[in-house]
Amino acid sequence: MSPSMDNRGMHSTIAVIDFETTGMTPAQGARATEVAIVLVQNGQVVDRFQSLLRTGVWIPPFITQLTGITNAMVAEAPAAEGVMRDAARFVGDAPMVAHNAAFDAKFWTHELTHADVPAPHAFACTVLLSRRLYPEATSHKLGNIVQHLGLPRAARAHRALADAEMAASLLTRMQQDLRTHWRVENPGHALLSTLQRCAKPKVGKLLADYATPQLVA
DNA sequence: TGCCAGGCCCTCTTTAGGGCCTT
């Protein structure tokens, strides 16, 4: 049995990831500049991975202004391929979560492909879940929804580890709210993935009818 | 800095358009 599985064969570990990059999409030549991953078990962060990556791709000034990551910093960083191989080993077969997962999943796949490593991981998205669970929030940007829920804000947003920690905190809060408000006993990754794809009017019914163990696998 | 990309979601919708979210 995988170390990330509990005794029912369900994933007890979720890997929360955040990338800093040189742009919006690998399709336009953007590459990762920093990656951070935190492992969450039972609402607790149990391990952390963080590294800058050297890809040789130039970082535009506005990205440096946003993230604080400079071309000089990544020039001294380890090669991206080695970092990503280490990141893949760190994640193992744990399912993954990111804030706006479509963005991070693209870079996860792209960077692992560069490193010649398969990327079969399933992603769930805290933006989509946040819109489902907290429709009263006026903004679902990571910093804003964290503040809205009264969760601790990172001292340095737009760095990978700080953002991954905030996303992990948001994930844990959503799991707690599913337990307390919806009485879901074990709100695991598969249920979160189902919720994020569920049409909003059906969310309540899904949770009210929730009794299917495989949903939390 | 503001645009781009792309998927999701809402609505004054569905033969569409525009906002959100990520760097």
Side-chain angles (χ1 to χ4, degrees):
Chain A
M1 181 176 293
S2 162
S4 71
M5 300 279 194
D6 64 17
N7 58 9
R8 292 176 296 172
M10 297 176 180
H11 281 287
S12 58
T13 302
I14 295 177
V16 183
I17 188 168
D18 186 77
F19 277 109
E20 305 303 320
T21 72
T22 64
M24 294 305 300
T25 172
Q28 292 186 323
R31 295 290 303 273
T33 58
E34 186 178 42
V35 61
I37 303 160
V38 298
L39 299 184
V40 177
Q41 284 182 355
N42 301 319
Q44 299 291 325
V45 173
V46 296
D47 208 352
R48 296 168 172 83
F49 177 95
Q50 179 275 331
S51 182
L52 294 168
L53 301 90
R54 172 168 46 83
T55 65
V57 173
W58 179 73
I59 304 173
F62 78 91
I63 293 286
T64 294
Q65 188 174 29
L66 178 69
T67 66
I69 298 171
T70 67
N71 284 290
M73 289 165 65
V74 296
E76 298 177 354
E81 291 77 9
V83 172
M84 292 306 298
R85 281 192 283 270
D86 290 344
R89 278 193 290 270
F90 182 79
V91 170
D93 62 355
M96 303 184 75
V97 165
H99 200 67
N100 196 18
F103 176 87
D104 292 283
K106 273 188 299 190
F107 281 95
W108 177 250
T109 300
H110 188 73
E111 295 296 347
L112 284 182
T113 299
H114 267 276
D116 199 25
V117 175
H121 306 79
F123 271 78
C125 177
T126 48
V127 172
L128 300 181
L129 290 165
S130 175
R131 288 172 178 162
R132 291 280 180 268
L133 299 179
Y134 312 114
E136 77 286 356
T138 56
S139 167
H140 296 273
K141 290 183 180 179
L142 182 57
N144 292 343
I145 192 64
V146 161
Q147 185 172 40
H148 172 77
L149 295 172
L151 301 170
R153 294 195 65 175
R156 181 63 174 96
H158 294 299
R159 284 300 296 264
L161 185 57
D163 284 1
E165 297 263 15
M166 283 199 294
S169 176
L170 174 59
L171 170 69
T172 297
R173 172 60 181 268
M174 290 190 296
Q175 291 177 308
Q176 289 174 348
D177 285 343
L178 283 166
R179 289 190 185 93
T180 57
H181 298 324
W182 299 94
R183 307 202 180 282
V184 174
E185 182 181 350
N186 185 6
H189 178 274
L191 174 62
L192 299 176
S193 296
T194 302
L195 266 179
Q196 73 174 22
R197 292 190 302 271
C198 187
K200 186 173 274 185
K202 296 180 181 175
V203 168
K205 183 176 188 313
L206 170 71
L207 293 173
D209 292 345
Y210 173 79
T212 313
Q214 57 266 34
L215 279 179
V216 299

